[in-house]
Amino acid sequence: MLGRLAIRHRLTPPLEKAGGHIGYDVRPSARRQGHATAMLAAALPIARSLGITQALLTCDETNTASQRVIETNGGQFIDRVGDKRRYWAPTS
Ligand SMILES: CC(C)(COP(=O)(O)OP(=O)(O)OC[C@H]1O[C@@H](n2cnc3c(N)ncnc32)[C@H](O)[C@@H]1OP(=O)(O)O)[C@@H](O)C(=O)NCCC(=O)NCCS
């Protein structure tokens, strides 16, 4: 197992603030090999097939790696909520 990714079919008020539609982790020994970027790229069309036209993605202000993963996959910065950055990413 290299990592895991979850697609949340619906947002709840807590997920709108932190968590968003898609969350992911990569095993520490497998990081910095492009897995998270590839996992999110593979997940966006699946989210599309679930009726999610743009995915809400969030990450910690200090999480440079996750910010890169999101931005490489087309995420557009929306705002900060507390210590989280929020992005919309198109799913098509
Ligand atoms: C965030 C996380 C999923 C990234 O996984 P990954 O497979 O290492 O990511 P990638 O290899 O696809 O790297 C994506 C980019 O981040 C950069 N990066 C990776 N780790 C980094 C680090 N520790 N510091 C700075 N940049 C980093 C890579 O160089 C790459 O940059 P590039 O697009 O400019 O080439 C992983 O670090 C992790 O599981 N962290 C703990 C859980 C977590 O934060 N999940 C996300 C919650 S929003």
Side-chain angles (χ1 to χ4, degrees):
M1 179 172 165
L2 294 172
R4 44 69 60 184
L5 178 144
I7 301 177
R8 305 174 183 116
H9 295 205
R10 284 176 296 279
L11 292 175
T12 60
L15 285 173
E16 285 176 7
K17 291 182 183 164
H21 283 108
I22 301 175
Y24 43 82
D25 301 86
V26 169
R27 187 176 81 197
S29 62
R31 290 179 186 168
R32 300 198 90 150
Q33 297 172 38
H35 294 306
T37 302
M39 284 159 53
L40 182 57
L44 289 170
I46 298 171
R48 177 83 181 183
S49 74
L50 295 168
I52 299 165
T53 54
Q54 53 178 3
L56 182 68
L57 302 167
T58 75
C59 68
D60 285 353
E61 190 74 63
T62 54
N63 195 338
T64 306
S66 193
Q67 288 173 34
R68 288 292 308 147
V69 170
I70 294 169
E71 289 167 3
T72 299
N73 278 288
Q76 298 291 316
F77 176 72
I78 311 167
D79 60 10
R80 293 178 182 79
V81 176
D83 63 351
K84 302 287 182 191
R85 292 170 67 88
R86 303 197 308 165
Y87 297 82
W88 285 121
T91 55
S92 59

